[in-house]
Amino acid sequence: MAVTDRDSRFWDRVARKYAARTIADLAGYERTLEATRRYLRPEHVVFEFGCGTGTTALRLAPSAARFMATDLSGEMIVLAREKAQAEACRNVEFAVASLEAAQWPDESFDVALGFNVLHLIKDRPAAIAGVRRLLKPGGVFISKTPCIGEMNPLIRLAIPLLQAIGKAPYLDFVSGAQLERVIAEAGFDIVERARHGSKRKDTRAFLVVRKA
């Protein structure tokens, strides 16, 4: 079974519980949304991968012409569609898809988004290359990634144990510097880097990069 198959089953299993969780750092989340909106235009076609239950897509959709949001988990997408229908949001489409099997033609999108997902991808260079393929020339890729390699060592020790009992998906202990390097090697120029957390230390790297 491929890693993506295992992980899609994991996220299907926890989707309802995940949807019920509150955002731990709401102020930091709002700062991320505001920073992202600065790069969106009313005529833009936007692609998001790892959209989960669609909360962020629905918050950002009013700033774009059309929004395609995808996730590996069918259960997550079911919940996202329910939210979109409840909010009568008509310019967002939710689909079950992976970057590896993305069916959209090259250069289909103005902006690509990947929030809280790059640390969950085993072949990150291939995934970022997939993002680059989908972007138009000069297109922007915006991401925010928990950098587990910068977290408390006790957390890093606990993760393999949680994975062994099926309580955690694949996670990579990436650092902010490693993330920047692999994105630059894929052919992107870094436009903005930030940490939006409200607490003293924020291990979630926010990056805005442009297709070179």
Side-chain angles (χ1 to χ4, degrees):
M1 187 187 301
V3 171
T4 52
D5 293 334
R6 290 198 300 270
D7 287 345
S8 65
R9 292 188 181 190
F10 172 85
W11 291 112
D12 282 346
R13 189 169 67 250
V14 304
R16 297 275 169 185
K17 185 180 293 186
Y18 179 88
R21 290 168 53 188
T22 58
I23 297 171
D25 184 358
L26 186 58
Y29 176 67
E30 294 294 342
R31 278 193 282 273
T32 296
L33 291 179
E34 187 56 36
T36 301
R37 288 189 187 102
R38 292 200 296 268
Y39 294 92
L40 302 181
R41 300 290 180 268
E43 68 275 13
H44 277 170
V45 180
V46 179
F47 174 80
E48 183 184 6
F49 62 101
C51 71
T53 61
T55 298
T56 298
L58 293 169
R59 291 289 304 274
L60 294 174
S63 299
R66 189 163 63 87
F67 208 110
M68 169 59 68
T70 68
D71 200 276
L72 291 175
S73 167
E75 289 300 316
M76 292 283 192
I77 293 300
V78 166
L79 295 171
R81 289 170 177 165
E82 289 174 0
K83 287 183 183 180
Q85 184 174 10
E87 297 180 24
C89 186
R90 304 188 186 283
N91 70 327
V92 178
E93 181 180 351
F94 291 102
V96 179
S98 68
L99 283 170
E100 297 90 338
Q103 300 299 312
W104 297 277
D106 293 1
E107 302 181 358
S108 293
F109 301 96
D110 299 286
V111 177
L113 307 175
F115 296 121
N116 300 308
V117 66
L118 288 177
H119 65 305
L120 302 174
I121 298 174
K122 188 172 185 179
D123 192 349
R124 194 161 39 251
I128 295 171
V131 172
R132 191 178 189 281
R133 179 186 72 79
L134 292 173
L135 281 173
K136 297 176 182 178
V140 170
F141 173 35
I142 304 173
S143 63
K144 184 175 180 179
T145 307
C147 295
I148 300 174
E150 300 176 8
M151 292 182 181
N152 188 307
L154 292 177
I155 295 175
R156 301 201 298 270
L157 287 172
I159 288 173
L161 299 176
L162 293 172
Q163 291 171 327
I165 60 174
K167 297 295 185 181
Y170 172 83
L171 294 164
D172 186 28
F173 291 14
V174 66
S175 69
Q178 291 169 334
L179 191 62
E180 288 192 21
R181 183 165 60 251
V182 72
I183 290 174
E185 288 172 352
F188 287 96
D189 295 326
I190 295 176
V191 175
E192 179 182 346
R193 56 172 65 85
R195 305 280 174 127
H196 293 149
S198 299
K199 298 179 181 179
R200 184 170 57 183
K201 182 178 180 181
D202 183 5
T203 58
R204 296 162 296 175
F206 175 83
L207 291 172
V208 181
V209 299
R210 192 176 301 277
K211 181 176 178 178

